[in-house]
C-alpha cells in the first residue's frame, strides 16, 4: 500500500535531494496536496552537515530556504513500507533496493518518475497519489531503454554543470507537479501554480516580459 511519504535520495544529501524535496514540498504547501510528507536523505551522507552554499543560493532564487537543512544518512530505519522514493541517480535506486527490496514498485529516479507520470497523465491520469505511483511503475516497464535517468551531480563542477543540474531537476519537478495537479483528490489549482521555469535565466526572461495577471504561487518579490 502506497502511503503519503515521499523520500528524495542523492549521495551526500547536500545538493540534489534537498533541492528537489524543497521544490516539491513548497509548491504543494497549500490545499490537499500538503498531505504528501516529503523529506530527503543521502546514501553516503554525513549526518548534520549543512546544504552546499551553491544550492542554498540557487534555492533562494526559487523562493526556497535551505539554510536550516541538515543532512541525513539513508539507512533501513529511514525507509518505511509504502514509501515512494525518488532518487537522483540509478545508483541510488540500487542502494535503496539493497536496503528494502520490498519497495521495488515505488522506487524511481526523479527523471524516470517524471516521464512515467507524464505518460500516465496523458493516458487519462489516476484517481489519487497511490494510484499515480502504481500506474507510474507499470508505465516504466514499457519505456524505451537507454534514456538518461540521472540528475547530474554538480559538486565541484563548473557553472555549466550547475546549470544542467538546475535544468534537469526543475523540469522533472514541474512535470511531477503537473501530474499531481491532475489528481482529483489533490487541489489541482494549487499544484498547477507550482510550475517553475527550467532555469533562473528563464525566470529572469519572464520578469522582462509583460507581467502576468497574478504572480505564480510560491515566488517572492
Amino acid at each position: 500500500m502506497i502511503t503519503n511519504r515521499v523520500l528524495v535520495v542523492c549521495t551526500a544529501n547536500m545538493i540534489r535531494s534537498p533541492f528537489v524535496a524543497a521544490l516539491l514540498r513548497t509548491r504543494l504547501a497549500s490545499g490537499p496536496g500538503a498531505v504528501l510528507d516529503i523529506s530527503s536523505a543521502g546514501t553516503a551522507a554525513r549526518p548534520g552537515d549543512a546544504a552546499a552554499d551553491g544550492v542554498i543560493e540557487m534555492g533562494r532564487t526559487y523562493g526556497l530556504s535551505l539554510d536550516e537543512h541538515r543532512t541525513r544518512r539513508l539507512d533501513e530505519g529511514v525507509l518505511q513500507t509504502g514509501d515512494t522514493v525518488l532518487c537522483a541517480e540509478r545508483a541510488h535506486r540500487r542502494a535503496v533496493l539493497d536496503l528494502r527490496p520490498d519497495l521495488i514498485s515505488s522506487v524511481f529516479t526523479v527523471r524516470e518518475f517524471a516521464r512515467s507520470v507524464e505518460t500516465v497523465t496523458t493516458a487519462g491520469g489516476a484517481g489519487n497519489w497511490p494510484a499515480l505511483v502504481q500506474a507510474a511503475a507499470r508505465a516504466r516497464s514499457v519505456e524505451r531503454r537507454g534514456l538518461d535517468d540521472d540528475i547530474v551531480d554538480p559538486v565541484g563542477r563548473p557553472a555549466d554543470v550547475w546549470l544542467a543540474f538546475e535544468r534537469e531537476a526543475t523540469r522533472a519537478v514541474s512535470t511531477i507537479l503537473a501530474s499531481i495537479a491532475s489528481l482529483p483528490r489533490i487541489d489541482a489549482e494549487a499544484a498547477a501554480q507550482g510550475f517553475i521555469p527550467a532555469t533562473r535565466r528563464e525566470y529572469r526572461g519572464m520578469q522582462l516580459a509583460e507581467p502576468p495577471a497574478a504572480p505564480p504561487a510560491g515566488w517572492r518579490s
Side-chain angles (χ1 to χ4, degrees), residues 4 6 24-25 27-38 129 177 180-181 183 185-188 190-191:
N4 69 331
V6 179
L24 287 169
R25 187 165 51 244
R27 269 47 177 185
L28 297 173
S30 61
V35 300
L36 294 180
D37 178 9
I38 302 168
W129 173 254
L177 289 170
I180 291 175
L183 298 178
R185 297 185 187 180
I186 291 184
D187 186 342

mmCIF file of all heavy atoms in Angstrom, residues 4 6 24-25 27-38 129 177 180-181 183 185-188 190-191:
data_model
loop_
_atom_site.group_PDB
_atom_site.id
_atom_site.type_symbol
_atom_site.label_atom_id
_atom_site.label_comp_id
_atom_site.label_asym_id
_atom_site.label_seq_id
_atom_site.Cartn_x
_atom_site.Cartn_y
_atom_site.Cartn_z
ATOM 1 N N ASN A 4 1.560 8.346 2.027
ATOM 2 C CA ASN A 4 1.781 9.724 1.596
ATOM 3 C C ASN A 4 3.235 10.153 1.760
ATOM 4 O O ASN A 4 3.574 11.308 1.535
ATOM 5 C CB ASN A 4 0.877 10.677 2.379
ATOM 6 C CG ASN A 4 1.275 10.798 3.849
ATOM 7 O OD1 ASN A 4 1.827 9.850 4.430
ATOM 8 N ND2 ASN A 4 0.978 11.918 4.461
ATOM 9 N N VAL A 6 7.062 10.632 0.814
ATOM 10 C CA VAL A 6 7.927 10.705 -0.363
ATOM 11 C C VAL A 6 9.328 11.038 0.127
ATOM 12 O O VAL A 6 9.539 12.049 0.811
ATOM 13 C CB VAL A 6 7.454 11.774 -1.361
ATOM 14 C CG1 VAL A 6 8.390 11.834 -2.567
ATOM 15 C CG2 VAL A 6 6.020 11.506 -1.804
ATOM 16 N N LEU A 24 9.360 20.392 -4.342
ATOM 17 C CA LEU A 24 8.086 19.678 -4.258
ATOM 18 C C LEU A 24 7.285 20.124 -3.042
ATOM 19 O O LEU A 24 6.090 20.394 -3.128
ATOM 20 C CB LEU A 24 8.344 18.174 -4.184
ATOM 21 C CG LEU A 24 8.805 17.490 -5.471
ATOM 22 C CD1 LEU A 24 9.286 16.074 -5.173
ATOM 23 C CD2 LEU A 24 7.692 17.458 -6.508
ATOM 24 N N ARG A 25 7.940 20.192 -1.909
ATOM 25 C CA ARG A 25 7.243 20.494 -0.655
ATOM 26 C C ARG A 25 6.629 21.892 -0.677
ATOM 27 O O ARG A 25 5.471 22.081 -0.293
ATOM 28 C CB ARG A 25 8.221 20.354 0.507
ATOM 29 C CG ARG A 25 7.585 20.481 1.882
ATOM 30 C CD ARG A 25 8.551 19.975 2.952
ATOM 31 N NE ARG A 25 9.870 20.587 2.836
ATOM 32 C CZ ARG A 25 10.987 19.906 2.555
ATOM 33 N NH1 ARG A 25 10.946 18.609 2.354
ATOM 34 N NH2 ARG A 25 12.146 20.543 2.485
ATOM 35 N N ARG A 27 5.864 23.838 -3.264
ATOM 36 C CA ARG A 27 4.852 24.036 -4.292
ATOM 37 C C ARG A 27 3.556 23.299 -3.949
ATOM 38 O O ARG A 27 2.508 23.579 -4.532
ATOM 39 C CB ARG A 27 5.361 23.564 -5.651
ATOM 40 C CG ARG A 27 6.055 24.635 -6.485
ATOM 41 C CD ARG A 27 7.057 25.444 -5.725
ATOM 42 N NE ARG A 27 7.751 26.400 -6.579
ATOM 43 C CZ ARG A 27 8.741 27.157 -6.175
ATOM 44 N NH1 ARG A 27 9.169 27.075 -4.938
ATOM 45 N NH2 ARG A 27 9.317 28.010 -6.996
ATOM 46 N N LEU A 28 3.601 22.367 -3.000
ATOM 47 C CA LEU A 28 2.405 21.635 -2.583
ATOM 48 C C LEU A 28 2.033 21.992 -1.144
ATOM 49 O O LEU A 28 1.356 21.234 -0.461
ATOM 50 C CB LEU A 28 2.639 20.122 -2.694
ATOM 51 C CG LEU A 28 2.899 19.608 -4.104
ATOM 52 C CD1 LEU A 28 3.295 18.134 -4.065
ATOM 53 C CD2 LEU A 28 1.686 19.797 -4.992
ATOM 54 N N ALA A 29 2.460 23.167 -0.699
ATOM 55 C CA ALA A 29 2.317 23.524 0.712
ATOM 56 C C ALA A 29 0.914 23.943 1.108
ATOM 57 O O ALA A 29 0.622 24.088 2.288
ATOM 58 C CB ALA A 29 3.300 24.636 1.067
ATOM 59 N N SER A 30 0.032 24.168 0.151
ATOM 60 C CA SER A 30 -1.339 24.556 0.481
ATOM 61 C C SER A 30 -2.310 23.603 -0.188
ATOM 62 O O SER A 30 -2.006 22.977 -1.199
ATOM 63 C CB SER A 30 -1.611 25.994 0.015
ATOM 64 O OG SER A 30 -1.468 26.093 -1.381
ATOM 65 N N GLY A 31 -3.487 23.485 0.393
ATOM 66 C CA GLY A 31 -4.504 22.611 -0.171
ATOM 67 C C GLY A 31 -4.232 21.152 0.141
ATOM 68 O O GLY A 31 -3.295 20.797 0.849
ATOM 69 N N PRO A 32 -5.046 20.252 -0.380
ATOM 70 C CA PRO A 32 -4.899 18.825 -0.112
ATOM 71 C C PRO A 32 -3.554 18.249 -0.534
ATOM 72 O O PRO A 32 -3.163 17.192 -0.073
ATOM 73 C CB PRO A 32 -6.045 18.198 -0.916
ATOM 74 C CG PRO A 32 -7.053 19.289 -1.045
ATOM 75 C CD PRO A 32 -6.259 20.558 -1.145
ATOM 76 N N GLY A 33 -2.838 18.926 -1.435
ATOM 77 C CA GLY A 33 -1.524 18.444 -1.824
ATOM 78 C C GLY A 33 -0.543 18.395 -0.670
ATOM 79 O O GLY A 33 0.460 17.687 -0.719
ATOM 80 N N ALA A 34 -0.849 19.144 0.399
ATOM 81 C CA ALA A 34 0.029 19.161 1.560
ATOM 82 C C ALA A 34 0.032 17.834 2.309
ATOM 83 O O ALA A 34 0.831 17.640 3.220
ATOM 84 C CB ALA A 34 -0.386 20.294 2.500
ATOM 85 N N VAL A 35 -0.853 16.915 1.954
ATOM 86 C CA VAL A 35 -0.872 15.618 2.638
ATOM 87 C C VAL A 35 0.373 14.799 2.309
ATOM 88 O O VAL A 35 0.664 13.834 2.997
ATOM 89 C CB VAL A 35 -2.133 14.796 2.286
ATOM 90 C CG1 VAL A 35 -3.385 15.552 2.684
ATOM 91 C CG2 VAL A 35 -2.172 14.427 0.817
ATOM 92 N N LEU A 36 1.103 15.146 1.261
ATOM 93 C CA LEU A 36 2.335 14.429 0.945
ATOM 94 C C LEU A 36 3.441 14.876 1.904
ATOM 95 O O LEU A 36 3.720 16.066 2.045
ATOM 96 C CB LEU A 36 2.751 14.692 -0.502
ATOM 97 C CG LEU A 36 1.817 14.143 -1.577
ATOM 98 C CD1 LEU A 36 2.350 14.484 -2.959
ATOM 99 C CD2 LEU A 36 1.635 12.635 -1.438
ATOM 100 N N ASP A 37 4.050 13.913 2.552
ATOM 101 C CA ASP A 37 5.126 14.154 3.519
ATOM 102 C C ASP A 37 6.452 13.942 2.799
ATOM 103 O O ASP A 37 6.868 12.809 2.555
ATOM 104 C CB ASP A 37 4.963 13.181 4.692
ATOM 105 C CG ASP A 37 6.074 13.321 5.716
ATOM 106 O OD1 ASP A 37 6.872 14.273 5.618
ATOM 107 O OD2 ASP A 37 6.152 12.457 6.626
ATOM 108 N N ILE A 38 7.127 15.057 2.444
ATOM 109 C CA ILE A 38 8.301 14.997 1.566
ATOM 110 C C ILE A 38 9.561 15.317 2.361
ATOM 111 O O ILE A 38 9.656 16.362 3.011
ATOM 112 C CB ILE A 38 8.143 15.979 0.394
ATOM 113 C CG1 ILE A 38 6.871 15.651 -0.398
ATOM 114 C CG2 ILE A 38 9.366 15.935 -0.515
ATOM 115 C CD1 ILE A 38 6.468 16.713 -1.384
ATOM 116 N N TRP A 129 -2.927 9.712 -5.249
ATOM 117 C CA TRP A 129 -1.479 9.561 -5.232
ATOM 118 C C TRP A 129 -1.043 8.095 -5.310
ATOM 119 O O TRP A 129 -0.193 7.753 -6.138
ATOM 120 C CB TRP A 129 -0.887 10.250 -4.009
ATOM 121 C CG TRP A 129 0.578 9.993 -3.826
ATOM 122 C CD1 TRP A 129 1.163 9.182 -2.898
ATOM 123 C CD2 TRP A 129 1.651 10.536 -4.613
ATOM 124 N NE1 TRP A 129 2.524 9.182 -3.046
ATOM 125 C CE2 TRP A 129 2.852 10.002 -4.087
ATOM 126 C CE3 TRP A 129 1.709 11.413 -5.698
ATOM 127 C CZ2 TRP A 129 4.096 10.336 -4.625
ATOM 128 C CZ3 TRP A 129 2.945 11.734 -6.229
ATOM 129 C CH2 TRP A 129 4.125 11.205 -5.700
ATOM 130 N N LEU A 177 4.707 17.901 -10.724
ATOM 131 C CA LEU A 177 3.656 18.782 -10.200
ATOM 132 C C LEU A 177 2.453 18.824 -11.134
ATOM 133 O O LEU A 177 1.306 18.845 -10.670
ATOM 134 C CB LEU A 177 4.212 20.197 -10.006
ATOM 135 C CG LEU A 177 5.201 20.375 -8.856
ATOM 136 C CD1 LEU A 177 5.845 21.752 -8.939
ATOM 137 C CD2 LEU A 177 4.528 20.184 -7.512
ATOM 138 N N ILE A 180 0.478 15.718 -10.536
ATOM 139 C CA ILE A 180 -0.244 15.813 -9.263
ATOM 140 C C ILE A 180 -1.450 16.726 -9.412
ATOM 141 O O ILE A 180 -2.518 16.487 -8.835
ATOM 142 C CB ILE A 180 0.693 16.310 -8.153
ATOM 143 C CG1 ILE A 180 1.737 15.245 -7.839
ATOM 144 C CG2 ILE A 180 -0.085 16.664 -6.894
ATOM 145 C CD1 ILE A 180 2.798 15.678 -6.843
ATOM 146 N N ALA A 181 -1.310 17.767 -10.231
ATOM 147 C CA ALA A 181 -2.422 18.691 -10.450
ATOM 148 C C ALA A 181 -3.627 18.009 -11.078
ATOM 149 O O ALA A 181 -4.752 18.481 -10.946
ATOM 150 C CB ALA A 181 -1.968 19.848 -11.341
ATOM 151 N N LEU A 183 -4.734 15.081 -10.277
ATOM 152 C CA LEU A 183 -5.373 14.149 -9.350
ATOM 153 C C LEU A 183 -6.620 14.775 -8.728
ATOM 154 O O LEU A 183 -6.538 15.867 -8.161
ATOM 155 C CB LEU A 183 -4.401 13.749 -8.239
ATOM 156 C CG LEU A 183 -3.131 13.019 -8.689
ATOM 157 C CD1 LEU A 183 -2.239 12.741 -7.489
ATOM 158 C CD2 LEU A 183 -3.467 11.735 -9.419
ATOM 159 N N ARG A 185 -8.128 14.229 -6.033
ATOM 160 C CA ARG A 185 -8.106 14.399 -4.589
ATOM 161 C C ARG A 185 -7.012 15.330 -4.111
ATOM 162 O O ARG A 185 -6.753 15.453 -2.936
ATOM 163 C CB ARG A 185 -7.956 13.031 -3.896
ATOM 164 C CG ARG A 185 -9.134 12.113 -4.189
ATOM 165 C CD ARG A 185 -9.042 10.831 -3.404
ATOM 166 N NE ARG A 185 -10.078 9.903 -3.827
ATOM 167 C CZ ARG A 185 -10.233 8.684 -3.312
ATOM 168 N NH1 ARG A 185 -9.440 8.273 -2.352
ATOM 169 N NH2 ARG A 185 -11.194 7.892 -3.752
ATOM 170 N N ILE A 186 -6.321 15.966 -5.045
ATOM 171 C CA ILE A 186 -5.336 16.977 -4.694
ATOM 172 C C ILE A 186 -5.714 18.262 -5.405
ATOM 173 O O ILE A 186 -6.134 18.255 -6.546
ATOM 174 C CB ILE A 186 -3.911 16.533 -5.075
ATOM 175 C CG1 ILE A 186 -3.486 15.375 -4.162
ATOM 176 C CG2 ILE A 186 -2.918 17.662 -4.966
ATOM 177 C CD1 ILE A 186 -2.075 14.906 -4.366
ATOM 178 N N ASP A 187 -5.604 19.374 -4.713
ATOM 179 C CA ASP A 187 -6.007 20.670 -5.232
ATOM 180 C C ASP A 187 -5.271 20.974 -6.536
ATOM 181 O O ASP A 187 -4.100 21.322 -6.540
ATOM 182 C CB ASP A 187 -5.694 21.746 -4.192
ATOM 183 C CG ASP A 187 -6.221 23.104 -4.600
ATOM 184 O OD1 ASP A 187 -6.517 23.319 -5.793
ATOM 185 O OD2 ASP A 187 -6.352 23.947 -3.716
ATOM 186 N N ALA A 188 -5.957 20.818 -7.648
ATOM 187 C CA ALA A 188 -5.317 20.961 -8.954
ATOM 188 C C ALA A 188 -4.799 22.378 -9.169
ATOM 189 O O ALA A 188 -3.728 22.580 -9.721
ATOM 190 C CB ALA A 188 -6.304 20.592 -10.061
ATOM 191 N N ALA A 190 -3.741 24.634 -6.939
ATOM 192 C CA ALA A 190 -2.536 24.892 -6.154
ATOM 193 C C ALA A 190 -1.336 24.187 -6.755
ATOM 194 O O ALA A 190 -0.238 24.734 -6.829
ATOM 195 C CB ALA A 190 -2.742 24.444 -4.711
ATOM 196 N N ALA A 191 -1.525 22.948 -7.193
ATOM 197 C CA ALA A 191 -0.407 22.200 -7.769
ATOM 198 C C ALA A 191 0.011 22.785 -9.105
ATOM 199 O O ALA A 191 1.200 22.871 -9.411
ATOM 200 C CB ALA A 191 -0.790 20.740 -7.933
#
